[in-house]
Amino acid sequence: MDKRYIVIGAGAVGGVVGARLHRAGHQVVLVARGDHGTALRERGLTVHGPAGADTVPVAVAAGPQEVELREGDVLLLAVKTQDTRAALAAWAEQPVGPDGGRAGARLPLVCLQNGVENERLALRHFRRVYGAMVVLPAAFLTPGEVSTWCGPRTGVLVLGRYPDGADDTVREIAADLTAADFRAVVAEDVLRWKYGKLVDNLANAVDALCGQRPGAESAELAARARAEAIAVLERSGIAYAAPEELTELRLGAVERRPSDAGAGHGSTWQSLKRGGGSAEVDYLNGEIVLLGRGCGVPTPVNELFQDLVNRWAREGREPGSLAPAELAELVGQVDTP
């Protein structure tokens, strides 16, 4: 049966991955609603990158009701974590093929998402769940357009079966992604890689609040959040990929290239910029807060970042409008011995 990729959530990551798979010769359906879905139907998906703009005339659906699922389909879940429950509920019960078997029982689902909660949620609905650690610098700010700015590869992905292991399905998916301009690696300990990336992603909150300002203050704020995370993971006995491993994986694959493709802001900054009232901070900094409360390690910096980003999302505040010195003062008030 021919493989087809159904990309649930055609934002920055989902859009770029779907476009690259399409250009590599695979059947792809991008799932998107609202103005973005309309733009994709009318004009296709435009991917801006170091080599210029490429418009991809890929198939588009607003949701599962517009897709006739079949054997051979692979579901790529690329929504933000706060939208995962709704997406899983919508897709898991969809019929597959002429006998109408459930998608949750018949089709593999790959979580192309930040954090470590998505796979656990997915396993309630799908028998075959695969995790992916995603390093894909990309942006989605304009309907019908996504941007990416690295080379020589578009991104790096570490994939494996959840909670652990590997099989022929994930090896085939990794091979397809490799042919589609990604460095795709199969690992039997994918969660270890995802926890390592979680530590890395804690800096997204600083970017969302302060933007990308020169100076060491922002880096120090991010380092405080990461130090809390490492203390929590080690107390909890949770294995995580070290920063040196992540750096080695990126080396020679995702290096910033001169480009007008985008500002380079993280996904949390982009969520605030687009509006919509939510961000995935509860599953990044908030994950560390949750784990810290469970193991008795204080996480005041991550708790502050979680609260601030959530407040800014609710209030529709402009990302990057807080000076690092102001954030450092707030951190000083909560980060006491």
Side-chain angles (χ1 to χ4, degrees):
M1 189 69 67
D2 291 340
K3 189 189 290 99
R4 181 177 60 166
Y5 287 97
I6 313 297
V7 183
I8 305 167
V13 170
V16 172
V17 170
R20 294 291 192 252
L21 286 168
H22 177 84
R23 284 302 189 205
H26 294 283
Q27 298 181 66
V28 174
V29 178
L30 297 182
V31 180
R33 298 178 295 178
D35 292 343
H36 187 44
T38 299
L40 294 178
R41 292 177 191 273
E42 293 178 351
R43 304 189 297 273
L45 175 64
T46 298
V47 181
H48 299 277
D54 177 31
T55 299
V56 181
V58 67
V60 182
Q65 70 280 0
E66 295 185 7
V67 182
E68 292 187 10
L69 294 175
R70 63 199 192 204
E71 295 290 348
D73 284 345
V74 176
L75 304 182
L76 302 181
L77 188 62
V79 300
K80 292 291 189 289
T81 306
Q82 65 268 27
D83 299 319
T84 289
R85 284 185 175 87
L88 292 169
W91 286 88
E93 299 301 321
Q94 291 302 302
V96 178
D99 64 1
R102 293 175 53 255
R106 303 281 286 274
L107 301 181
L109 180 134
V110 182
C111 297
L112 294 174
Q113 298 162 289
N114 284 329
V116 294
E117 180 67 10
N118 298 286
E119 291 82 0
R120 184 172 181 271
L121 293 172
L123 204 59
R124 296 177 184 272
H125 298 270
F126 284 81
R127 290 180 184 170
R128 288 188 290 159
V129 174
Y130 300 86
M133 188 213 74
V134 181
V135 179
L136 203 176
F140 165 52
L141 297 172
T142 303
E145 301 181 21
V146 294
S147 302
T148 183
W149 49 84
C150 285
R153 295 283 190 168
T154 300
V156 171
L157 302 102
V158 177
L159 304 105
R161 186 137 187 184
Y162 178 82
D164 53 44
D167 58 20
D168 288 343
T169 297
V170 75
R171 284 186 277 270
E172 290 175 7
I173 294 169
D176 290 344
L177 290 165
T178 297
D181 200 42
F182 295 91
R183 175 178 286 174
V185 178
V186 175
E188 296 195 357
D189 57 348
V190 69
L191 270 182
R192 187 178 73 87
W193 288 95
K194 294 205 69 161
Y195 273 107
K197 181 66 168 17
L198 172 63
V199 175
D200 197 50
N201 281 142
L202 299 178
N204 285 11
V206 178
D207 174 43
L209 296 167
C210 301
Q212 296 180 335
R213 306 194 190 197
E217 204 156 24
S218 292
E220 173 60 24
L221 291 166
R224 290 197 184 194
R226 289 171 174 150
E228 286 183 356
I230 290 171
V232 165
L233 295 177
E234 299 204 347
R235 173 73 67 84
S236 302
I238 296 173
Y240 61 95
E244 297 78 13
E245 293 179 271
L246 297 176
T247 298
E248 184 177 356
L249 193 67
R250 294 182 178 103
L251 192 63
V254 285
E255 299 172 353
R256 182 142 189 169
R257 296 292 175 83
S259 171
D260 295 327
H265 288 289
S267 58
T268 306
W269 185 98
Q270 294 174 44
S271 291
L272 295 183
K273 189 67 176 178
R274 289 195 304 271
S278 70
E280 63 182 342
V281 68
D282 286 345
Y283 303 97
L284 299 178
N285 305 85
E287 181 71 28
I288 299 305
V289 172
L290 173 64
L291 290 171
R293 289 171 180 168
C295 71
V297 174
T299 58
V301 175
N302 281 287
E303 185 172 346
L304 174 67
F305 290 175
Q306 180 186 10
D307 290 345
L308 286 174
V309 172
N310 276 330
R311 188 190 315 161
W312 283 35
R314 290 192 303 269
E315 296 174 356
R317 294 186 60 173
E318 181 70 15
S321 55
L322 185 67
E326 295 176 280
L327 183 57
E329 183 176 353
L330 294 173
V331 167
Q333 294 171 10
V334 301
D335 189 19
T336 55

